Amino acid sequence: MNITNWDQAYQENFTPWDKGQPSPPLVEWLARNKLAGRVLVPGCGVGHDVAHLVSLGIDAHGLDIAPTAIARAKERYPQLAERFVLADLFEHQGEFDAIIEHTCLCALPPEWRERYRDAVARLLKPCGLLIGTWFVNPEMDPGESGPPFGISPEELAALFADQFEVIESYTPEAAYPGREGRELLRVLRLSV
């Protein structure tokens, strides 16, 4: 179903999105905000965000469609192995208080964005939070279309307008080197 063979990318160690640490905007947000309940990290890769969430006492779980990514997450964080699940976001079952978005939506073709939104809404409890670090300005070579597929703040607002309310939205100060000012931290609450 995906346009990129994500497992092959992991097998060939072509994973420029894996920076070896949790998302700096997420770390920054969690330093100022409390998060409780059951949390899902779709497209968790090798599990840095999940590990950080768990270190804060949060019941976090990661899923990824790439078997090699899940195997590496379990290898890197063996104490959290049961928290990493090989699964497709669009077919996954469960109920979560929050979903952490970082690099999942931008990995999907733009024509799948409504499917992503609907999957997230289905997995969240009423009033659940979607806490996203959204890639609004990926650096692309001329003629390159992605992934990553950036999304403008306006497109992001329109995508979620009918089912979610914006709780918080800002350009994070913390970022991976080279991503400064190119991401948007937006927290959305699922309508009842």
Side-chain angles (χ1 to χ4, degrees):
M1 216 177 166
N2 51 336
I3 59 158
T4 300
N5 186 334
W6 297 109
D7 198 55
Q8 182 178 357
Y10 279 98
Q11 289 175 13
E12 294 174 359
N13 293 314
F14 180 73
T15 55
W17 56 87
D18 179 7
K19 306 298 185 187
Q21 66 185 44
S23 161
L26 174 63
V27 172
E28 177 185 71
W29 188 85
L30 289 167
R32 294 189 330 268
N33 296 276
K34 294 283 185 216
L35 186 59
R38 194 161 180 249
V39 177
L40 178 68
V41 181
C44 69
V46 298
H48 308 304
D49 290 343
V50 172
H52 182 68
L53 290 159
V54 171
S55 77
L56 299 174
I58 297 166
D59 182 18
H61 305 266
L63 69 83
D64 205 291
I65 198 167
T68 303
I70 291 298
R72 288 187 184 167
K74 291 178 177 190
E75 218 174 82
R76 180 159 186 153
Y77 301 105
Q79 72 282 15
L80 306 177
E82 75 284 351
R83 293 181 177 273
F84 298 110
V85 178
L86 179 64
D88 184 327
L89 172 66
F90 301 113
E91 298 171 10
H92 194 60
Q93 300 298 313
E95 197 172 56
F96 298 90
D97 297 284
I99 293 177
I100 303 296
E101 161 60 38
H102 185 241
T103 72
C104 187
L105 181 69
C106 74
L108 299 172
E111 59 269 20
W112 290 12
R113 289 179 176 162
E114 290 180 3
R115 290 184 62 219
Y116 169 92
R117 178 205 55 217
D118 295 344
V120 165
R122 178 181 50 78
L123 290 165
L124 281 171
K125 292 179 181 177
C127 297
L129 297 179
L130 175 56
I131 303 159
T133 302
W134 309 95
F135 213 178
V136 294
N137 186 19
E139 204 170 283
M140 305 299 258
D141 292 328
E144 187 181 11
S145 64
F149 299 98
I151 186 168
S152 72
E154 297 77 22
E155 290 171 314
L156 189 63
L159 179 63
F160 291 101
D162 291 342
Q163 294 174 291
F164 290 81
E165 106 182 77
V166 177
I167 302 302
E168 191 174 4
S169 185
Y170 62 92
T171 300
E173 289 183 26
Y176 291 123
R179 286 202 194 161
E180 298 89 347
R182 296 170 54 212
E183 296 173 313
L184 179 72
L185 191 299
R186 183 168 288 175
V187 180
L188 303 164
R189 179 183 294 138
L190 181 65
S191 304
V192 179

Coordinates of all heavy atoms in Angstrom, one line a residue, residues 100-182:
I100 N 0.9 10.7 19.1 CA 2.0 11.6 18.8 C 2.4 11.4 17.4 O 2.7 10.3 16.9 CB 3.2 11.2 19.7 CG1 2.9 11.2 21.2 CG2 4.4 12.0 19.4 CD1 2.5 12.5 21.8
E101 N 2.3 12.5 16.7 CA 2.6 12.5 15.2 C 4.0 13.2 15.0 O 4.2 14.3 15.5 CB 1.6 13.4 14.5 CG 2.0 13.8 13.1 CD 2.4 12.8 12.1 OE1 1.7 11.7 12.1 OE2 3.3 13.0 11.3
H102 N 4.9 12.4 14.3 CA 6.1 13.0 13.9 C 6.7 12.1 12.8 O 7.1 11.0 13.1 CB 7.1 13.1 15.1 CG 8.4 13.8 14.7 ND1 9.6 13.1 14.7 CD2 8.6 15.0 14.2 CE1 10.6 14.0 14.3 NE2 10.0 15.1 14.0
T103 N 6.6 12.6 11.6 CA 7.1 11.9 10.4 C 6.2 10.9 9.8 O 6.5 10.3 8.8 CB 8.6 11.4 10.5 OG1 8.5 10.2 11.4 CG2 9.5 12.4 11.0
C104 N 5.1 10.6 10.4 CA 4.1 9.6 9.8 C 3.4 10.3 8.6 O 3.4 9.8 7.5 CB 3.2 9.1 10.9 SG 2.2 7.7 10.2
L105 N 2.7 11.4 8.9 CA 1.9 12.0 7.8 C 2.8 12.4 6.7 O 2.4 12.2 5.5 CB 1.1 13.2 8.4 CG 0.2 13.9 7.3 CD1 -0.9 13.0 6.9 CD2 -0.3 15.2 7.8
C106 N 3.9 13.0 6.9 CA 4.8 13.5 5.8 C 5.4 12.3 5.0 O 5.9 12.5 3.9 CB 5.9 14.4 6.3 SG 7.2 13.6 7.2
A107 N 5.3 11.1 5.5 CA 5.8 9.9 4.8 C 4.7 9.4 3.8 O 5.0 8.6 2.9 CB 6.2 8.8 5.7
L108 N 3.5 9.8 4.0 CA 2.4 9.3 3.2 C 2.1 10.2 2.0 O 2.3 11.5 2.1 CB 1.1 9.3 4.0 CG 1.1 8.3 5.2 CD1 -0.1 8.5 6.1 CD2 1.3 6.9 4.8
P109 N 1.7 9.7 0.9 CA 1.3 10.5 -0.3 C 0.2 11.5 0.1 O -0.7 11.1 0.9 CB 0.8 9.5 -1.3 CG 1.2 8.2 -0.9 CD 1.4 8.3 0.6
P110 N 0.2 12.7 -0.4 CA -0.8 13.7 0.0 C -2.2 13.2 -0.2 O -3.1 13.6 0.6 CB -0.5 14.9 -0.9 CG 1.0 14.8 -1.1 CD 1.3 13.3 -1.2
E111 N -2.5 12.4 -1.2 CA -3.8 11.9 -1.4 C -4.3 10.9 -0.3 O -5.5 10.6 -0.3 CB -4.0 11.2 -2.8 CG -3.1 10.1 -3.1 CD -1.7 10.4 -3.7 OE1 -1.3 11.6 -3.6 OE2 -1.1 9.5 -4.3
W112 N -3.4 10.6 0.6 CA -3.8 9.7 1.7 C -4.1 10.5 3.0 O -4.4 9.9 4.0 CB -2.7 8.7 2.0 CG -2.5 7.6 1.0 CD1 -3.1 7.6 -0.3 CD2 -1.8 6.5 1.1 NE1 -2.7 6.4 -0.9 CE2 -1.8 5.7 -0.1 CE3 -1.0 5.9 2.1 CZ2 -1.2 4.5 -0.3 CZ3 -0.3 4.7 1.9 CH2 -0.4 4.0 0.7
R113 N -4.0 11.8 2.9 CA -4.2 12.6 4.2 C -5.5 12.4 4.9 O -5.6 12.3 6.1 CB -3.8 14.0 3.9 CG -2.4 14.2 3.6 CD -2.0 15.7 3.3 NE -0.6 15.7 3.2 CZ 0.1 16.7 2.6 NH1 -0.6 17.8 2.1 NH2 1.4 16.7 2.5
E114 N -6.6 12.3 4.1 CA -7.9 12.2 4.7 C -8.0 10.8 5.3 O -8.6 10.6 6.4 CB -9.0 12.4 3.7 CG -9.1 13.8 3.3 CD -10.2 14.1 2.3 OE1 -10.9 13.1 1.9 OE2 -10.3 15.2 1.8
R115 N -7.4 9.8 4.7 CA -7.4 8.4 5.3 C -6.6 8.5 6.7 O -7.0 7.8 7.6 CB -6.7 7.4 4.4 CG -7.5 7.1 3.2 CD -6.9 6.1 2.3 NE -6.8 4.8 3.0 CZ -5.7 4.0 3.0 NH1 -4.7 4.3 2.2 NH2 -5.7 2.9 3.7
Y116 N -5.5 9.2 6.7 CA -4.7 9.3 7.9 C -5.6 10.0 9.0 O -5.7 9.5 10.1 CB -3.5 10.2 7.6 CG -2.7 10.6 8.9 CD1 -1.7 9.8 9.4 CD2 -3.1 11.8 9.6 CE1 -1.0 10.2 10.6 CE2 -2.4 12.1 10.7 CZ -1.4 11.4 11.2 OH -0.8 11.7 12.4
R117 N -6.2 11.1 8.6 CA -7.1 11.8 9.6 C -8.1 10.9 10.1 O -8.4 10.9 11.4 CB -7.7 13.0 8.9 CG -8.7 13.8 9.8 CD -9.7 14.6 9.1 NE -10.5 13.7 8.2 CZ -10.9 14.1 7.0 NH1 -10.6 15.3 6.5 NH2 -11.6 13.3 6.2
D118 N -8.8 10.2 9.3 CA -9.9 9.3 9.7 C -9.4 8.1 10.6 O -10.0 7.7 11.6 CB -10.6 8.7 8.5 CG -11.3 9.8 7.7 OD1 -11.5 10.9 8.2 OD2 -11.7 9.5 6.6
A119 N -8.2 7.6 10.3 CA -7.6 6.5 11.1 C -7.3 7.1 12.5 O -7.5 6.4 13.5 CB -6.3 6.0 10.4
V120 N -6.7 8.3 12.6 CA -6.3 8.9 13.8 C -7.6 9.1 14.7 O -7.7 8.8 15.9 CB -5.5 10.2 13.6 CG1 -5.5 11.0 14.9 CG2 -4.1 9.8 13.1
A121 N -8.6 9.7 14.0 CA -9.9 10.0 14.7 C -10.5 8.7 15.2 O -11.1 8.6 16.3 CB -10.9 10.7 13.8
R122 N -10.4 7.6 14.5 CA -11.0 6.3 14.9 C -10.2 5.7 16.1 O -10.8 5.1 17.0 CB -10.9 5.3 13.7 CG -11.4 3.9 14.0 CD -11.3 3.0 12.8 NE -10.0 3.0 12.1 CZ -8.9 2.4 12.6 NH1 -8.9 1.7 13.7 NH2 -7.8 2.4 11.9
L123 N -8.9 5.9 16.2 CA -8.1 5.4 17.3 C -8.2 6.2 18.5 O -7.8 5.7 19.6 CB -6.7 5.2 16.8 CG -6.4 4.1 15.8 CD1 -5.1 4.3 15.1 CD2 -6.6 2.8 16.4
L124 N -8.6 7.5 18.4 CA -8.6 8.3 19.6 C -9.9 8.2 20.4 O -11.0 8.1 19.8 CB -8.4 9.8 19.2 CG -7.0 10.3 19.0 CD1 -7.0 11.7 18.4 CD2 -6.1 10.2 20.2
K125 N -9.8 8.3 21.7 CA -11.0 8.4 22.5 C -11.6 9.7 22.3 O -11.0 10.7 21.9 CB -10.6 8.2 24.0 CG -10.2 6.9 24.4 CD -9.8 6.9 25.9 CE -9.3 5.5 26.3 NZ -8.9 5.5 27.7
P126 N -12.9 9.9 22.6 CA -13.5 11.3 22.5 C -12.7 12.3 23.3 O -12.2 11.9 24.5 CB -14.9 11.1 23.1 CG -15.2 9.6 22.9 CD -13.9 8.9 23.1
C127 N -12.4 13.4 22.8 CA -11.6 14.5 23.4 C -10.1 14.1 23.4 O -9.3 14.7 24.1 CB -12.1 14.9 24.7 SG -13.8 15.6 24.7
G128 N -9.7 13.0 22.7 CA -8.3 12.6 22.7 C -7.5 13.7 22.0 O -8.0 14.4 21.1
L129 N -6.2 13.7 22.2 CA -5.3 14.6 21.7 C -4.4 14.1 20.5 O -3.9 12.9 20.7 CB -4.3 15.2 22.7 CG -5.0 16.0 23.9 CD1 -3.9 16.4 24.9 CD2 -5.7 17.2 23.4
L130 N -4.3 14.8 19.5 CA -3.3 14.6 18.4 C -2.2 15.6 18.6 O -2.5 16.8 18.3 CB -4.0 14.6 17.1 CG -3.1 14.5 15.9 CD1 -2.3 13.2 15.9 CD2 -3.9 14.6 14.6
I131 N -1.0 15.2 19.1 CA 0.1 16.1 19.3 C 1.1 15.9 18.2 O 1.7 14.9 18.1 CB 0.7 15.8 20.7 CG1 -0.4 15.9 21.8 CG2 1.9 16.8 21.0 CD1 0.0 15.2 23.1
G132 N 1.1 16.9 17.3 CA 1.9 16.7 16.1 C 3.1 17.7 15.9 O 2.9 18.9 16.2
T133 N 4.2 17.2 15.5 CA 5.3 18.0 15.0 C 5.1 17.8 13.5 O 5.5 16.7 12.9 CB 6.6 17.5 15.5 OG1 6.7 17.6 16.9 CG2 7.7 18.4 14.9
W134 N 4.6 18.8 12.8 CA 4.2 18.7 11.4 C 5.3 19.3 10.5 O 5.7 20.4 10.8 CB 2.9 19.4 11.2 CG 1.8 19.0 12.1 CD1 1.5 19.6 13.3 CD2 1.0 17.8 12.0 NE1 0.5 18.9 13.9 CE2 0.1 17.8 13.2 CE3 0.8 16.8 11.1 CZ2 -0.8 16.8 13.4 CZ3 -0.1 15.8 11.3 CH2 -0.9 15.8 12.4
F135 N 5.7 18.6 9.5 CA 6.8 19.1 8.6 C 6.2 20.0 7.6 O 5.6 19.6 6.6 CB 7.4 17.9 8.0 CG 8.9 18.0 7.7 CD1 9.6 17.0 7.1 CD2 9.6 19.2 8.0 CE1 11.0 17.1 6.9 CE2 11.0 19.3 7.7 CZ 11.6 18.2 7.1
V136 N 6.2 21.3 7.8 CA 5.6 22.3 7.0 C 6.5 22.8 5.8 O 6.0 23.4 4.9 CB 5.0 23.5 7.7 CG1 3.9 23.0 8.7 CG2 6.0 24.2 8.5
N137 N 7.8 22.6 6.0 CA 8.7 23.1 5.0 C 9.9 22.2 4.8 O 11.0 22.5 5.1 CB 9.2 24.5 5.4 CG 10.0 25.2 4.4 OD1 10.0 24.8 3.2 ND2 10.8 26.1 4.8
P138 N 9.7 21.0 4.2 CA 10.8 20.1 4.0 C 11.7 20.7 2.9 O 11.2 21.3 2.0 CB 10.2 18.8 3.6 CG 8.8 19.2 3.0 CD 8.4 20.4 3.8
E139 N 13.0 20.4 3.1 CA 13.9 20.9 2.1 C 14.0 19.9 0.9 O 14.4 18.7 1.2 CB 15.3 21.0 2.7 CG 16.2 22.0 2.1 CD 17.5 22.2 2.9 OE1 17.3 23.0 3.9 OE2 18.5 21.7 2.6
M140 N 13.6 20.3 -0.2 CA 13.6 19.4 -1.4 C 14.5 19.8 -2.5 O 14.7 21.0 -2.7 CB 12.2 19.3 -1.9 CG 11.1 18.9 -0.9 SD 11.4 17.3 -0.2 CE 10.2 16.4 -1.1
D141 N 15.1 18.9 -3.2 CA 15.8 19.2 -4.4 C 14.9 19.6 -5.5 O 13.7 19.2 -5.5 CB 16.7 18.0 -4.8 CG 17.8 17.7 -3.8 OD1 18.3 18.7 -3.2 OD2 18.1 16.5 -3.7
P142 N 15.3 20.4 -6.5 CA 14.5 20.8 -7.6 C 13.9 19.6 -8.3 O 14.6 18.6 -8.6 CB 15.4 21.6 -8.5 CG 16.5 22.1 -7.6 CD 16.7 21.0 -6.6
G143 N 12.6 19.6 -8.4 CA 11.9 18.5 -9.1 C 11.5 17.3 -8.2 O 10.8 16.4 -8.6
E144 N 12.0 17.3 -6.9 CA 11.7 16.3 -6.0 C 10.4 16.5 -5.3 O 10.1 17.7 -5.0 CB 12.8 16.2 -4.9 CG 12.7 15.0 -4.0 CD 13.8 15.0 -2.9 OE1 14.5 15.9 -2.8 OE2 13.9 13.9 -2.2
S145 N 9.6 15.5 -5.2 CA 8.3 15.7 -4.6 C 8.1 15.0 -3.2 O 7.1 15.2 -2.6 CB 7.2 15.2 -5.6 OG 7.3 13.8 -5.8
G146 N 9.0 14.1 -2.8 CA 8.9 13.5 -1.5 C 8.7 12.0 -1.7 O 8.5 11.5 -2.8
P147 N 8.6 11.3 -0.6 CA 8.6 11.8 0.8 C 9.9 12.4 1.2 O 10.9 12.0 0.6 CB 8.2 10.6 1.6 CG 8.7 9.4 0.8 CD 8.6 9.8 -0.6
P148 N 9.9 13.3 2.2 CA 8.7 13.8 2.9 C 7.9 14.7 2.1 O 8.4 15.5 1.3 CB 9.3 14.5 4.1 CG 10.7 15.0 3.6 CD 11.1 14.0 2.6
F149 N 6.6 14.6 2.4 CA 5.6 15.5 1.8 C 5.2 16.6 2.8 O 4.5 16.2 3.8 CB 4.4 14.7 1.3 CG 4.7 13.7 0.3 CD1 4.8 12.3 0.7 CD2 4.8 14.0 -1.0 CE1 5.1 11.4 -0.2 CE2 5.1 13.0 -2.0 CZ 5.2 11.7 -1.6
G150 N 5.6 17.8 2.6 CA 5.3 18.9 3.5 C 3.8 19.2 3.5 O 3.1 18.9 2.5
I151 N 3.3 19.8 4.5 CA 1.9 20.3 4.6 C 1.9 21.7 5.1 O 2.5 22.0 6.1 CB 1.0 19.3 5.4 CG1 -0.4 19.7 5.3 CG2 1.5 19.2 6.8 CD1 -1.4 18.7 5.8
S152 N 1.2 22.6 4.4 CA 1.2 24.0 4.9 C 0.3 24.1 6.1 O -0.6 23.2 6.3 CB 0.7 24.9 3.8 OG -0.7 24.7 3.6
P153 N 0.5 25.1 6.9 CA -0.4 25.3 8.1 C -1.9 25.4 7.7 O -2.8 24.9 8.3 CB 0.1 26.6 8.7 CG 1.6 26.7 8.4 CD 1.6 26.1 7.0
E154 N -2.1 26.0 6.5 CA -3.5 26.2 6.0 C -4.1 24.8 5.6 O -5.2 24.5 5.9 CB -3.5 27.1 4.8 CG -3.1 28.6 5.2 CD -1.6 28.8 5.3 OE1 -0.8 27.9 4.8 OE2 -1.2 29.7 6.0
E155 N -3.3 24.0 4.9 CA -3.7 22.7 4.6 C -4.0 21.8 5.8 O -5.0 21.0 5.9 CB -2.7 22.0 3.7 CG -2.5 22.5 2.3 CD -1.4 22.0 1.6 OE1 -0.3 21.9 2.1 OE2 -1.5 21.6 0.4
L156 N -3.1 21.9 6.8 CA -3.3 21.2 8.0 C -4.6 21.6 8.7 O -5.3 20.8 9.2 CB -2.0 21.5 8.9 CG -1.9 20.7 10.2 CD1 -1.7 19.2 9.9 CD2 -0.7 21.2 11.0
A157 N -4.8 22.9 8.8 CA -6.1 23.4 9.4 C -7.3 22.9 8.7 O -8.2 22.4 9.3 CB -6.1 24.9 9.4
A158 N -7.3 22.9 7.4 CA -8.4 22.4 6.6 C -8.6 20.9 6.8 O -9.8 20.4 6.9 CB -8.2 22.8 5.1
L159 N -7.5 20.2 6.8 CA -7.6 18.7 6.9 C -8.3 18.3 8.2 O -9.2 17.4 8.2 CB -6.2 18.1 6.9 CG -6.1 16.6 7.1 CD1 -6.8 15.9 5.9 CD2 -4.6 16.2 7.2
F160 N -8.1 19.0 9.3 CA -8.6 18.5 10.6 C -9.8 19.4 11.1 O -10.4 19.1 12.1 CB -7.5 18.6 11.7 CG -6.5 17.5 11.4 CD1 -5.2 17.8 10.9 CD2 -6.7 16.2 11.8 CE1 -4.3 16.8 10.6 CE2 -5.8 15.2 11.6 CZ -4.6 15.5 11.0
A161 N -10.2 20.4 10.3 CA -11.2 21.4 10.8 C -12.5 20.7 11.2 O -13.1 21.2 12.2 CB -11.4 22.4 9.7
D162 N -13.0 19.7 10.5 CA -14.3 19.2 10.8 C -14.4 18.3 12.1 O -15.5 18.2 12.7 CB -14.9 18.4 9.6 CG -15.2 19.3 8.5 OD1 -15.3 20.6 8.7 OD2 -15.3 18.8 7.3
Q163 N -13.3 17.7 12.4 CA -13.3 16.7 13.5 C -12.5 17.1 14.8 O -12.6 16.5 15.8 CB -12.8 15.4 13.0 CG -13.7 14.7 12.0 CD -13.1 13.5 11.4 OE1 -12.1 13.5 10.7 NE2 -13.7 12.3 11.8
F164 N -11.6 18.1 14.6 CA -10.7 18.5 15.7 C -10.7 20.0 15.9 O -11.0 20.8 15.0 CB -9.2 18.1 15.3 CG -9.0 16.6 15.2 CD1 -9.3 15.9 14.1 CD2 -8.4 16.0 16.3 CE1 -9.1 14.5 14.0 CE2 -8.1 14.6 16.2 CZ -8.5 13.9 15.1
E165 N -10.4 20.3 17.2 CA -10.2 21.7 17.5 C -8.7 22.0 17.9 O -8.1 21.1 18.5 CB -11.1 22.1 18.7 CG -10.5 22.3 20.0 CD -11.4 22.7 21.1 OE1 -12.1 21.8 21.6 OE2 -11.5 23.8 21.5
V166 N -8.2 23.1 17.4 CA -6.8 23.4 17.7 C -6.7 23.9 19.1 O -7.4 24.9 19.5 CB -6.3 24.5 16.7 CG1 -4.9 24.9 17.0 CG2 -6.4 24.0 15.3
I167 N -5.8 23.3 19.9 CA -5.6 23.7 21.3 C -4.4 24.6 21.4 O -4.3 25.5 22.2 CB -5.4 22.4 22.2 CG1 -6.6 21.5 22.1 CG2 -5.0 22.7 23.6 CD1 -7.9 22.1 22.5
E168 N -3.4 24.3 20.6 CA -2.1 25.0 20.6 C -1.4 24.9 19.3 O -1.5 23.8 18.6 CB -1.2 24.3 21.7 CG 0.0 25.0 22.1 CD 0.7 24.3 23.3 OE1 0.3 23.3 23.8 OE2 1.7 24.9 23.7
S169 N -0.7 25.9 18.8 CA -0.1 25.9 17.6 C 1.1 26.9 17.5 O 0.8 28.1 17.8 CB -1.1 26.2 16.4 OG -0.4 26.1 15.2
Y170 N 2.3 26.5 17.3 CA 3.4 27.4 17.3 C 4.6 26.7 16.5 O 4.7 25.5 16.4 CB 3.8 27.8 18.7 CG 4.3 26.6 19.6 CD1 5.6 26.3 19.6 CD2 3.3 25.9 20.3 CE1 6.0 25.2 20.4 CE2 3.7 24.8 21.1 CZ 5.1 24.5 21.2 OH 5.5 23.4 21.9
T171 N 5.6 27.6 16.2 CA 6.8 27.1 15.6 C 7.7 26.8 16.8 O 8.1 27.7 17.6 CB 7.5 28.1 14.7 OG1 6.6 28.4 13.6 CG2 8.8 27.6 14.1
P172 N 8.1 25.5 17.0 CA 8.9 25.2 18.2 C 10.3 25.7 18.1 O 10.9 25.9 17.0 CB 9.0 23.6 18.1 CG 8.7 23.2 16.7 CD 7.8 24.3 16.1
E173 N 10.8 26.1 19.3 CA 12.2 26.6 19.3 C 13.2 25.4 19.2 O 14.2 25.6 18.6 CB 12.5 27.3 20.7 CG 11.8 28.6 20.7 CD 12.1 29.4 22.0 OE1 13.1 29.1 22.6 OE2 11.2 30.2 22.4
A174 N 12.9 24.3 19.8 CA 13.7 23.1 19.7 C 13.5 22.4 18.4 O 12.4 22.3 17.9 CB 13.4 22.2 20.9
A175 N 14.6 21.9 17.8 CA 14.5 21.3 16.5 C 15.8 20.5 16.2 O 16.8 20.8 16.8 CB 14.3 22.3 15.3
Y176 N 15.6 19.4 15.4 CA 16.9 18.8 14.9 C 17.7 19.8 14.1 O 17.1 20.7 13.5 CB 16.5 17.6 14.0 CG 15.8 16.4 14.6 CD1 14.6 16.0 14.2 CD2 16.4 15.7 15.7 CE1 14.0 14.9 14.8 CE2 15.8 14.6 16.3 CZ 14.6 14.2 15.8 OH 14.0 13.1 16.4
P177 N 19.0 19.7 14.1 CA 19.8 20.6 13.3 C 19.3 20.6 11.8 O 19.1 19.5 11.3 CB 21.2 20.1 13.4 CG 21.2 19.4 14.8 CD 19.8 18.8 14.9
G178 N 19.1 21.8 11.3 CA 18.6 21.9 9.9 C 17.1 22.0 9.8 O 16.6 22.3 8.7
R179 N 16.4 21.7 10.8 CA 14.9 21.8 10.8 C 14.4 23.0 11.5 O 13.2 23.1 11.6 CB 14.3 20.5 11.4 CG 14.4 19.3 10.4 CD 13.4 18.3 10.8 NE 13.7 17.0 10.1 CZ 13.2 15.9 10.5 NH1 12.4 15.8 11.5 NH2 13.6 14.8 9.9
E180 N 15.3 23.8 12.0 CA 14.8 25.0 12.7 C 13.8 25.8 11.8 O 14.1 26.1 10.7 CB 16.0 25.9 13.1 CG 17.0 25.2 14.0 CD 18.1 24.5 13.3 OE1 18.0 24.2 12.1 OE2 19.1 24.1 14.0
G181 N 12.7 26.2 12.4 CA 11.7 27.0 11.7 C 11.0 26.2 10.6 O 10.2 26.9 9.8
R182 N 11.2 25.0 10.4 CA 10.6 24.2 9.3 C 9.5 23.3 9.7 O 8.9 22.5 8.9 CB 11.7 23.4 8.5 CG 12.6 24.4 7.8 CD 13.9 23.7 7.3 NE 13.5 22.6 6.4 CZ 14.2 21.5 6.2 NH1 15.3 21.4 6.9 NH2 13.9 20.6 5.4

